[in-house]
Amino acid sequence: MSLTRNAEATASRTANSRWLELLARVGFIGYGIVHLLFAWLALQIAFGKPAADGDQAGALRTLAAQPLGRFLVITIAVGLLAMAIWQALEAAVGHRAERGKERVWERLASVGRTVVYLYFAWTAFKVFRDAGSNSADQQEALTGKAMESSGGRWLVGLAGLALAAIGVGLVVYGLIKRFEKHLKTGEMSPKTRQLTRRLGIAGYVAKGIAYGVTGLLIILAAVNYDPEKARGLDAALRTLRDQAYGQALLTLVALGFAAFGIYCFLQSRYRKV
């Protein structure tokens, strides 16, 4: 029991580290930059212009190609890794203000954020090392390999279902403005709070739509045994564009991702860390 308490105390001290907080806040800025670049790529796709892959790796490769871009990419990677560590500690010993089911759900949400931030950090490290063959082709190959057996197809389908559920959850999370409980709203002026609320709603809804469509495409790929359809966010954006009024819808989604990027900058200042 004492070992458990000592481990929790150590984790709590690490979670409250000033350096970890500073790196996590840098991570939010990097997270915002990635979403702004992603929004720009989505707009390129919406208007039929040649663009890099419309996913996170494509956004990071676009950044890496700019002057000082590789330095910015590795800085983003370090910040995102700090965010992942922070959320892992929150999942383990955090959210003590909540009780019962509320605490359980918040800790599970922290586990999800840890996975997301680790994925972004890993992607940024790969881009920094110039490891990048086309990410969509990699995903198609992995999905095709996974679907070589019926059990693999079930796993791919379940992954798509989980991603679609996350998409729905993000939409609801944004619409009910649940993100505000993690912000220091008391330190905001009324105008800043209103702006943050609007950006958060637009950003989470846009992300939810994109992730939901991606999940549905993965489910269809598993059902129809068609790995080419399971090509991640890039395919989801192009699928949206090809629908009736798709250009307008994809433009709105792109603006939503841009709103989320700006919201991340505000999180860097006002997020409870």
Side-chain angles (χ1 to χ4, degrees):
M1 185 67 106
S2 61
L3 286 175
T4 302
R5 288 177 179 173
N6 287 338
E8 286 189 355
T10 301
S12 181
R13 286 195 299 271
T14 304
N16 293 324
S17 163
R18 179 64 176 165
W19 280 106
L20 183 61
E21 177 183 345
L22 288 173
L23 286 172
R25 295 194 185 282
V26 169
F28 275 118
I29 294 173
Y31 202 44
I33 291 171
V34 171
H35 280 81
L36 287 176
L37 287 169
F38 182 80
W40 181 77
L41 292 176
L43 284 175
Q44 300 296 301
I45 292 171
F47 291 96
K49 297 179 180 178
D53 289 339
D55 58 11
Q56 299 92 340
L60 287 164
R61 280 195 292 270
T62 299
L63 178 61
Q66 310 308 309
L68 298 178
R70 294 185 75 237
F71 170 77
L72 290 173
V73 167
I74 196 62
T75 301
I76 288 172
V78 172
L80 289 167
L81 183 59
M83 290 169 69
I85 294 170
W86 159 54
Q87 282 300 304
L89 292 170
E90 285 287 282
V93 298
H95 303 295
R96 295 186 177 182
E98 289 82 11
R99 293 289 181 269
K101 290 182 180 179
E102 180 74 12
R103 188 178 184 186
V104 172
W105 282 115
E106 286 295 339
R107 285 190 165 186
L108 287 174
S110 287
V111 171
R113 294 186 192 106
T114 301
V115 173
V116 170
Y117 296 151
L118 277 176
Y119 171 74
F120 271 91
W122 173 69
T123 301
F125 277 119
K126 282 207 309 177
V127 170
F128 176 76
R129 292 184 328 193
D130 291 325
S133 58
N134 184 284
S135 62
D137 290 342
Q138 287 180 347
Q139 180 162 347
E140 183 182 342
L142 288 172
T143 305
K145 189 173 182 180
M147 291 197 299
E148 288 176 357
S149 66
S150 58
R153 288 176 67 185
W154 274 103
L155 286 175
V156 170
L158 287 174
L161 186 62
L163 192 56
I166 290 171
V168 173
L170 286 171
V171 171
V172 173
Y173 189 85
L175 290 176
I176 66 174
K177 300 181 282 292
R178 191 172 178 82
F179 54 86
E180 286 189 312
K181 71 176 293 184
H182 298 295
L183 301 174
K184 300 175 183 177
T185 54
E187 296 181 9
M188 297 178 182
S189 67
K191 287 185 177 181
T192 300
R193 182 170 183 177
Q194 185 181 54
L195 174 63
T196 303
R197 177 180 294 163
R198 290 175 176 174
L199 290 171
I201 293 171
Y204 278 109
V205 169
K207 288 187 68 171
I209 291 172
Y211 287 9
V213 172
T214 303
L216 289 175
L217 289 177
I218 293 173
I219 293 170
L220 288 173
V223 171
N224 299 322
Y225 188 61
D226 186 0
E228 189 173 349
K229 289 185 178 179
R231 292 170 63 97
L233 281 172
D234 182 67
L237 297 182
R238 297 178 194 278
T239 299
L240 281 174
R241 180 197 60 193
D242 294 339
Q243 307 309 306
Y245 305 105
Q247 188 180 70
L249 178 58
L250 184 50
T251 298
L252 288 175
V253 169
L255 292 175
F257 269 91
F260 189 84
I262 300 171
Y263 168 73
C264 286
F265 297 154
L266 290 166
Q267 277 199 100
S268 177
R269 168 66 177 83
Y270 294 107
R271 176 78 185 212
K272 296 175 183 176
V273 178

